[in-house]
Amino acid sequence: MKKVIRDFGSHLFLTILSVLIIVPVIWVFVNSVKTSAEILLKPLSLPSKLSLDNYVRAWKEAGLGIGFVNSMYVTIITVFFIVVIAAMAAYVLSRKKFLFRLTIEKIFLMGLMLPTFLSMAPLFLLMNGLNLVNSIPGLMLVYIAYSMSFTIFILIAFFNQIPHSLEEAAIIDGCGPWKLFWKVMFPLAKPGLISAAIFNFVGIWNEYILALILINDDQYKTLPLKLANIMMIQQYHTDWGALYAGLVLSFIPVTIFYLIFQKRLIEGSTAGAIKE
Amino acid sequence: MKQRNDRWAILFFLGPALILYLIFVIYPSINALRMSFYNWRGLGAKTWIGIDNYRRMLEDENFVNALKVTGKYILFQVPLVLILSVIIAISISHFMNTRWFQFYRSIIFFPYILPSVAIAMLWSTIFNPVGGMLNGLLDMVGLDRFMTEWLGKTETAFGSIVFVDIWRMVGFYSILILAAILNIPQDILEAAEIDGAKKFQKTIFITLPMLKDVLQVVIIFTFINTLKVFEMPQLLTAGGPNRSTQPISLYMYEQAFKNFNFGYASAIGVVFLILTMLASLFILKITRGSEG
């Protein structure tokens, strides 16, 4: 009996929270297929007819199409390089013995503590000096650099788990360090590399602050910047329909990722903190 | 021969990561410290002014205000997130081994993976006085006297931002605590049950003390993340009305990229780092200290 009451209480509490989380998200989806007039006059009603006009206007007129393409391009290329570069470094840090190995590992870990706000002004000036402000490759370089600490940190743990015997067998077979890494270690670390890629995908797709200080030019803006622009510049003359369609555009890739890789995302993001 | 071959391989593998990281992360961080002693507007003369930037902060009303606002965010968000996420985690743990477990866990975590810019906009449309969902709902249930301009008034703007920020991150911390609850050995709970402990007593005397480590992590994370709060105030209220919701992060951004006081902004960045480190040390000390 008691258990029934307790379960009922938990259900009630969690259902209220779930409604608070899901309803606003659904509201965005529903409004994205309503006309602007309907959105303003009948905010709580369902759409009278399904229309994709908002998406067309968001993509073309509001410039969110450029933002979406830029974000996709930046995210995919950056994630690829993050995983490859971090895996190379993590492999060496996990497997080789050399002078300053621990120091280098510590320097990488330090990055987890340094707040972005500390280096915001100097980073902008550095990029400005290198002519990399308003440049997509520049933004990518910064993203790759900023993702190193976290990615190397999780990949070292993965390489540490791979048994040494496989590597030794490959060396005896005459495998050089280059081949050894690409043909043996890289495939063996695949689960870790996929996790790292998923986390970085979500993180970079959502990133806002670094892009905000490094990109001003409309044609290079990523989706979060474009969205923020609509809100800050247009404020009350906003094309609401296009705005909701834009929000949906920004939700879709990460939501698809979440649906596919949910377990990995949830469990992976907590594993690091629990280990402490 | 092999030794030398290996050395080149190490350099080659480590090189790209280390070089990028040193140039774009470490160098700007160190440079912030140096720049904080200069008066520099990005272009033109760079003059050494010693600790004047730091002295200026004490007299800068807007900085002191931003510091207080950040303190206020921490004062509200850290305890609220902590309490809420513990309750959520314990509630979900009641459904272990049922299909509800997965279901609730997925929904609660979901906001954490959405872009924070989109979350800010989503809520700003809900709070919007014209056609916003919140006023619409209040009107519908007859509570129209509570309808207001949520983000435009000092009395409600701060609370609204705190709400949205908690909405975004509470799932992550709940899942963190939930994972730790699942790690508690079942036999301890069973032993307590045999000794006649009630459910409530088990929660207070066994579950919570066993969660001490993870709660410490949660406090440090929320503290640091609240110290960094930026997107929500920037996009929901732009720090207003009257700077009443402007945290240090936003003030620093304003100094660097609106007023081009790069030296002064760097000094604020250094204070930021010091606050982060002090907070972590302080929390570690009090939570470790109570262990005796």
Side-chain angles (χ1 to χ4, degrees):
Chain A
M1 190 56 209
K2 252 195 189 146
K3 191 173 178 325
V4 174
I5 294 171
R6 189 198 74 192
D7 279 4
F8 178 76
S10 301
H11 266 309
L12 188 70
F13 176 65
L14 292 170
T15 306
I16 293 172
L17 288 180
S18 304
V19 167
L20 259 175
I21 290 169
I22 292 304
V23 168
V25 176
I26 292 176
W27 195 57
V28 168
F29 275 83
V30 170
N31 274 347
S32 76
V33 293
K34 281 167 42 172
T35 63
S36 284
E38 265 187 302
I39 291 170
L40 281 177
L41 298 175
K42 288 180 278 180
L44 300 179
S45 71
L46 287 172
S48 53
K49 66 173 190 347
L50 231 94
S51 121
L52 292 178
D53 286 356
N54 291 333
Y55 286 89
V56 176
R57 280 202 322 282
W59 190 271
K60 289 200 179 128
E61 282 156 39
L64 296 177
I66 301 173
F68 189 90
V69 172
N70 284 342
S71 270
M72 221 10 127
Y73 176 67
V74 167
T75 307
I76 289 173
I77 297 195
T78 307
V79 168
F80 172 80
F81 279 107
I82 289 172
V83 171
V84 170
I85 293 176
M88 284 163 45
Y91 162 64
V92 169
L93 289 172
S94 145
R95 280 300 209 263
K96 305 283 182 192
K97 285 196 182 66
F98 53 94
L99 209 59
F100 301 127
R101 189 184 65 84
L102 271 178
T103 319
I104 292 174
E105 204 176 314
K106 274 191 194 132
I107 291 175
F108 275 121
L109 284 182
M110 211 167 76
L112 294 172
M113 279 292 291
L114 290 173
T116 318
F117 291 101
L118 168 66
S119 52
M120 209 149 93
L123 177 68
F124 171 79
L125 293 172
L126 170 72
M127 297 300 280
N128 201 26
L130 295 171
N131 251 329
L132 288 173
V133 168
N134 275 325
S135 128
I136 286 194
L139 184 66
M140 288 175 173
L141 283 175
V142 171
Y143 279 167
I144 296 171
Y146 267 83
S147 309
M148 280 302 117
S149 296
F150 163 76
T151 314
I152 288 176
F153 178 65
I154 50 173
L155 288 182
I156 285 180
F158 265 94
F159 279 113
N160 283 342
Q161 284 167 11
I162 298 172
H164 281 262
S165 53
L166 292 162
E167 210 177 343
E168 280 152 16
I171 294 174
I172 291 166
D173 286 347
C175 213
W178 182 249
K179 233 175 144 186
L180 177 69
F181 176 72
W182 291 109
K183 298 271 162 148
V184 182
M185 298 307 281
F186 201 75
L188 282 171
K190 218 166 156 193
L193 301 174
I194 293 173
S195 286
I198 296 168
F199 279 111
N200 281 306
F201 185 98
V202 174
I204 289 170
W205 180 263
N206 294 345
E207 207 288 325
Y208 173 63
I209 296 171
L210 289 169
L212 177 70
I213 62 171
L214 295 176
I215 307 281
N216 272 314
D217 195 329
D218 252 348
Q219 71 188 110
Y220 301 129
K221 280 184 177 162
T222 55
L223 193 54
L225 288 182
K226 290 272 187 193
L227 285 171
N229 248 18
I230 294 190
M231 190 154 117
M232 286 191 293
I233 294 169
Q234 308 185 340
Q235 204 81 48
Y236 290 105
H237 330 281
T238 304
D239 176 350
W240 292 102
L243 192 151
Y244 286 112
L247 289 182
V248 172
L249 285 178
S250 78
F251 285 171
I252 284 176
V254 273
T255 306
I256 292 175
F257 255 65
Y258 190 58
L259 292 175
I260 304 174
F261 301 112
Q262 205 189 102
K263 227 177 137 134
R264 227 191 260 259
L265 265 167
I266 295 179
E267 276 155 23
S269 65
T270 57
I274 295 295
K275 253 185 209 145
E276 304 274 322
Chain B
M1 177 60 204
K2 193 186 160 292
Q3 213 45 35
R4 176 183 255 165
N5 198 354
D6 230 31
R7 197 173 300 161
W8 282 113
I10 290 170
L11 261 179
F12 184 83
F13 279 113
L14 206 52
L18 199 57
I19 290 168
L20 283 175
Y21 178 73
L22 289 178
I23 294 177
F24 295 109
V25 180
I26 297 297
Y27 169 71
S29 301
I30 295 171
N31 210 14
L33 195 65
R34 200 171 61 91
M35 275 175 61
S36 73
F37 298 111
Y38 284 91
N39 181 12
W40 195 27
R41 302 180 66 84
L43 294 166
K46 198 158 118 182
T47 33
W48 169 270
I49 52 167
I51 57 163
D52 273 10
N53 279 327
Y54 293 92
R55 221 180 272 154
R56 179 176 160 190
M57 272 178 227
L58 299 173
E59 288 153 22
D60 180 351
E61 256 173 57
N62 292 332
F63 173 78
V64 175
N65 169 65
L67 202 63
K68 279 187 195 152
V69 171
T70 296
K72 204 167 140 198
Y73 278 116
I74 290 170
L75 210 63
F76 280 89
Q77 283 193 22
V78 175
L80 281 173
V81 166
L82 188 68
I83 294 167
L84 251 178
S85 51
V86 167
I87 298 176
I88 294 172
I90 291 176
S91 304
I92 297 181
S93 77
H94 289 159
F95 298 111
M96 204 160 60
N97 303 325
T98 70
R99 69 210 150 92
W100 292 107
F101 181 79
Q102 274 290 350
F103 176 76
Y104 286 133
R105 197 174 73 153
S106 311
I107 291 184
I108 296 286
F109 192 77
F110 180 58
Y112 188 71
I113 58 124
L114 294 177
S116 43
V117 171
I119 292 176
M121 296 182 67
L122 154 62
W123 282 97
S124 104
T125 65
I126 290 178
F127 289 132
N128 192 353
V130 185
M133 188 202 223
L134 183 56
N135 280 349
L137 279 176
L138 287 173
D139 195 27
M140 211 165 74
V141 296
L143 290 171
D144 46 324
R145 67 205 146 96
F146 289 112
M147 284 165 67
T148 180
E149 211 177 311
W150 294 97
L151 297 170
K153 284 198 179 148
T154 330
E155 305 89 63
T156 47
F158 181 81
S160 306
I161 292 178
V162 168
F163 173 83
V164 178
D165 220 27
I166 292 178
W167 186 87
R168 185 178 77 88
M169 52 182 199
V170 79
F172 172 73
Y173 298 109
S174 306
I175 299 305
L176 213 63
I177 297 170
L178 179 62
I181 292 179
L182 301 184
N183 271 343
I184 296 176
Q186 279 302 311
D187 43 352
I188 297 183
L189 292 171
E190 278 158 24
E193 219 163 299
I194 292 167
D195 289 343
K198 302 221 168 63
K199 186 77 206 172
F200 177 69
Q201 290 172 318
K202 273 197 292 183
T203 305
I204 298 287
F205 296 111
I206 300 174
T207 310
L208 286 182
M210 298 280 289
L211 294 180
K212 220 174 131 244
D213 286 346
V214 76
L215 292 183
Q216 184 179 307
V217 171
V218 169
I219 294 173
I220 295 178
F221 277 26
T222 37
F223 203 105
I224 291 177
N225 282 332
T226 310
L227 204 60
K228 292 194 295 199
V229 62
F230 180 84
E231 284 105 322
M232 298 309 161
Q234 194 214 7
L235 295 165
L236 288 171
T237 62
N242 262 327
R243 295 186 189 269
S244 63
T245 56
Q246 185 183 50
I248 340 176
S249 58
L250 199 54
Y251 184 62
M252 186 194 142
Y253 174 77
E254 185 187 303
Q255 282 300 335
F257 298 100
K258 298 243 159 74
N259 304 345
F260 303 105
N261 286 326
F262 289 108
Y264 188 43
S266 296
I268 299 176
V270 172
V271 170
F272 210 94
L273 175 72
I274 295 171
L275 286 177
T276 312
M277 294 196 309
L278 280 182
S280 314
L281 284 177
F282 180 68
I283 294 162
L284 278 175
K285 184 134 201 209
I286 46 170
T287 42
R288 290 262 158 83
S290 63
E291 222 160 285

